[in-house]
Amino acid sequence: LAKTTQPISMDSYEGQEVNITCSHNNIATNDYITWYQQFPSQGPRFIIQGYKTKVTNEVASLFIPADRKSSTLSLPRVSLSDTAVYYCLVGPFTGGYQKVTFGTGTKLQVIP
Amino acid sequence: EPEVTQTPSHQVTQMGQEVILRCVPISNHLYFYWYRQILGQKVEFLVSFYNNEISEKSEIFDDQFSVERPDGSNFTLKIRSTKLEDSAMYFCASRVDSSGNTIYFGEGSWLTVV
């Protein structure tokens, strides 16, 4: 599994756009990049997944450069309820891949 | 939206007692998982289960742990003789099949061993 590196913590004011970057230098050809969100005392929740270029859904955008060695999760206009830990995961989600492995994640604190 | 449900949400047990944590995965899912998270630490993989057998397990998942899918809907994690260090939040998760790109987690069962 590709090792990921992301900032331990970030602070942001309400209403700002937040970008969290994850490095995954040894990403493999068949690896996907997935982001999960976890609130205190709750289970991780899937946010977004991509393979290359840009993916957008109702919650976030995911930017992946051509070399795929990093990715950036973008949260538009964050609110206090976006305070959570955000995990970047890299792995081949198809073909019988059995599990996801979590790193330490990025603790995002949204400030009023 | 379908969800993974877990019971109990919180259980306190004495050291040495057996504990069973229950999960109802999403109905058409075929892959099942247990993870745990000790307070303040990262989410750790315990075991994955497919086709009525364990497909992978971590070093944490020793002989004190077992999993079972007794009736086609429930998926249980049993800890035979709990230790203080088993205190953690235990998450059940499921995935539709090998092509599914998302693992869905339950809300967790908080186990406190005293």
Side-chain angles (χ1 to χ4, degrees):
Chain A
L1 299 175
K3 186 178 183 310
T4 60
T5 302
Q6 51 184 125
I8 293 173
S9 63
M10 293 179 71
D11 291 340
S12 175
Y13 288 102
E14 268 192 298
Q16 289 190 328
E17 177 185 79
V18 170
N19 296 309
I20 306 174
T21 297
C22 178
S23 298
H24 28 81
N25 289 318
N26 59 340
I27 189 169
T29 304
N30 57 343
D31 284 347
Y32 283 73
I33 300 153
T34 308
W35 286 80
Y36 278 82
Q37 174 193 55
Q38 187 183 27
F39 298 115
S41 300
Q42 294 189 26
R45 185 174 74 101
F46 172 87
I47 301 175
I48 197 166
Q49 185 182 77
Y51 184 79
K52 61 181 179 181
T53 62
K54 177 185 172 183
V55 180
T56 297
N57 61 22
E58 64 277 5
V59 176
S61 294
L62 179 59
F63 299 92
I64 305 168
D67 65 7
R68 304 200 326 122
K69 292 184 185 300
S70 67
S71 58
T72 299
L73 174 73
S74 182
L75 305 172
R77 296 182 299 281
V78 293
S79 63
L80 295 177
S81 62
D82 292 316
T83 293
V85 179
Y86 292 83
Y87 298 97
C88 165
L89 302 149
V90 174
F93 277 87
T94 59
Y97 175 60
Q98 294 293 301
K99 68 183 185 193
V100 295
T101 301
F102 289 83
T104 51
T106 298
K107 187 172 183 178
L108 172 66
Q109 180 70 50
V110 180
I111 306 162
Chain B
E1 181 179 300
E3 56 183 26
V4 176
T5 57
Q6 292 185 239
T7 54
S9 57
H10 189 192
Q11 181 162 353
V12 180
T13 189
Q14 287 198 320
M15 193 168 52
Q17 295 295 303
E18 176 184 281
V19 159
I20 297 176
L21 305 178
R22 292 182 169 78
C23 168
V24 179
I26 296 173
S27 63
N28 61 335
H29 284 195
L30 300 178
Y31 288 83
F32 313 112
Y33 310 82
W34 282 100
Y35 285 77
R36 80 170 186 191
Q37 186 173 31
I38 295 171
L39 187 64
Q41 297 186 23
K42 63 181 183 180
V43 179
E44 301 174 290
F45 168 76
L46 292 178
V47 66
S48 58
F49 191 86
Y50 170 70
N51 200 27
N52 282 321
E53 61 183 25
I54 291 173
S55 46
E56 189 176 357
K57 60 183 180 180
S58 71
E59 291 177 356
I60 303 168
F61 194 88
D62 61 21
D63 291 343
Q64 292 301 310
F65 291 88
S66 63
V67 289
E68 195 177 36
R69 190 161 159 79
D71 57 14
S73 63
N74 291 289
F75 179 51
T76 62
L77 174 70
K78 182 194 289 186
I79 309 175
R80 233 166 251 113
S81 177
T82 50
K83 303 188 274 284
L84 295 177
E85 54 265 37
D86 293 327
S87 294
M89 182 77 97
Y90 288 82
F91 296 110
C92 174
S94 69
R95 182 159 66 103
V96 59
D97 57 29
S98 62
S99 66
N101 59 4
T102 305
I103 294 181
Y104 294 87
F105 287 81
E107 290 301 298
S109 293
W110 182 249
L111 175 65
T112 302
V113 182
V114 297

